[in-house]
Every structure is written in structure tokens, then in C-alpha cells.
Amino acid sequence: MAAPGPGEYFSVGSHVSCLTCLGQRLQGEVVAFDYQSKMLTLKCASSSGKPNLSDVVLINLAFVSEVDIINDRTETPPPLASLNVSKLANRARTEKEDKLSQAYAISAGVSVEGQQLFQTIHKTIKDCKWQEKNIIVMDDVVISPPYQVDNCKGKEGSALSHVRKIVEKHFRDVESQKSMQRSQAQQTQKDSALSS
């Protein structure tokens, strides 16, 4: 590869095309380049096909056989966008609380089914927590082991009804996944028996 020589670099905002040693062609806008480690960061078209998204790819130039500059940017790149530090701090705090909640459930000996149900409820209702082995939802509903619909207790009303529906749907989805896995396993066994 014609790696950048001393004093050579890729300008932020330039468009480049790289051919990896595996024959993969990567093309995009230079977001960053570190000369010392020979790492190039490209913003490429989204692999999902969505126009408002981009893929960010880190490329080790030691594993690139060819680099072509499609459009070199000579003007000063635009300033970096400012970060909303309080939003990032809140997100980090929320993630930390979620991880601590998961760790608590594991250390309290909560079953895998209970942990999965907690995650399902938490996706819809953020106000849920563990109290020993019980799941507390909105301080109104308590779900105790074995975490079935019948184990949902609380004041009759919309909160209890809503939580029961979530629990019911969770176990329906789990059962449907299990039956799909069983049928796939049976099909695999049939296929392997036929090929023998």
C-alpha cells in the first residue's frame, strides 16, 4: 500500500476510496486521520440504506492496498458540533442505574425468566425496580416469583391492567420463540437424517 509518507495526511472532509487487503472497497468522507497509528476514520453511506444515517468505519491503513483521493478538501473544516454535556451525563447515569439493577437481580438470585420480564417491562415503563426478588412497577404493582400474570398484585386499575398485559404478551412471545426454535431444530434433524 502506498501509505502516507512523512508529512502526508488526509484532510478532514476529503472523499477517499480504499481497497482493503481482503478486496473490500470502502468509500466515504474523512472524519479523522491519525498519522502515527495510520488509522483513518470514514463516514460512509449507511449499510441500512436509510438516507439520514451514516456508517462510521475505522480503517487501519496497514491493511489497505490502495487509497484514492476522490475529492481533496483544501479549506478549513467546519467546527465540531458542541456536545450537550448534561444530556450525556444523564444518559450515562441512566445506563449505570440500569446495569446496577441488572447486577442486583443477578446477585439476589432472580431467575433468568424474571430478569427477562424485568427488561421487557423496563422497555415500556421506565419506572420499575427490584425489591429483593419482586419487580415493583410505578410503585403500584408488585410482581413476585414466578413472575406470571397471576403474580401481578396491586390496586385494581389501569396500571395493574397495563402491567398484566405486558406480562401476558412477554410470555406469549417467549413461548412463540421457543416453539419456533423447536420446529427449526426438528427440521435440522430431519435434514441431517435425510442426508445420511
Side-chain angles (χ1 to χ4, degrees):
M1 179 219 118
E8 292 181 24
Y9 61 95
F10 296 98
S11 302
V12 172
S14 297
H15 287 269
V16 299
S17 175
C18 301
L19 182 65
T20 69
C21 59
L22 299 173
Q24 182 184 17
R25 172 78 52 192
L26 299 169
Q27 184 173 326
E29 178 184 341
V30 175
V31 177
F33 173 63
D34 181 56
Y35 177 78
Q36 203 150 6
S37 63
K38 304 290 191 269
M39 293 297 290
L40 178 65
T41 307
L42 294 182
K43 181 169 76 171
C44 305
S46 174
S47 57
S48 70
K50 295 182 180 177
N52 58 337
L53 298 177
S54 300
D55 289 346
V56 176
V57 183
L58 295 174
I59 303 168
N60 184 341
L61 293 178
F63 299 104
V64 170
S65 59
E66 175 184 315
V67 178
D68 297 316
I69 297 175
I70 298 168
N71 180 10
D72 196 11
R73 183 177 191 137
T74 54
E75 65 270 7
T76 306
L80 295 173
S82 63
L83 296 174
N84 184 340
V85 178
S86 65
K87 186 176 180 180
L88 290 172
N90 284 340
R91 196 158 121 199
R93 181 185 46 76
T94 302
E95 288 296 317
K96 181 180 176 183
E97 288 170 1
D98 290 350
K99 297 301 178 200
L100 287 172
S101 176
Q102 289 175 6
Y104 173 81
I106 292 168
S107 69
V110 174
S111 67
V112 172
E113 293 81 10
Q115 293 173 43
Q116 290 172 342
L117 176 61
F118 181 90
Q119 292 301 320
T120 299
I121 295 169
H122 193 261
K123 287 177 189 172
T124 307
I125 304 170
K126 295 294 180 201
D127 185 11
C128 61
K129 60 189 173 205
W130 289 103
Q131 186 179 65
E132 296 176 17
K133 292 186 178 187
N134 296 330
I135 301 172
I136 310 296
V137 184
M138 299 183 294
D139 291 325
D140 289 335
V141 181
V142 177
I143 309 170
S144 55
Y147 310 107
Q148 299 296 316
V149 175
D150 296 339
N151 304 109
C152 298
K153 306 291 183 217
K155 190 175 120 189
E156 284 298 328
S158 61
L160 181 59
S161 172
H162 185 60
V163 171
R164 282 182 174 157
K165 287 178 186 174
I166 293 171
V167 173
E168 197 174 288
K169 183 179 182 323
H170 168 76
F171 284 108
R172 249 194 340 262
D173 292 348
V174 166
E175 191 53 43
S176 136
Q177 282 180 334
K178 285 180 181 177
S179 67
M180 195 181 320
Q181 289 171 347
R182 281 192 296 264
S183 66
Q184 287 174 344
Q186 289 170 348
Q187 186 62 42
T188 302
Q189 286 175 345
K190 286 179 186 177
D191 291 348
S192 64
L194 290 174
S195 65
S196 300

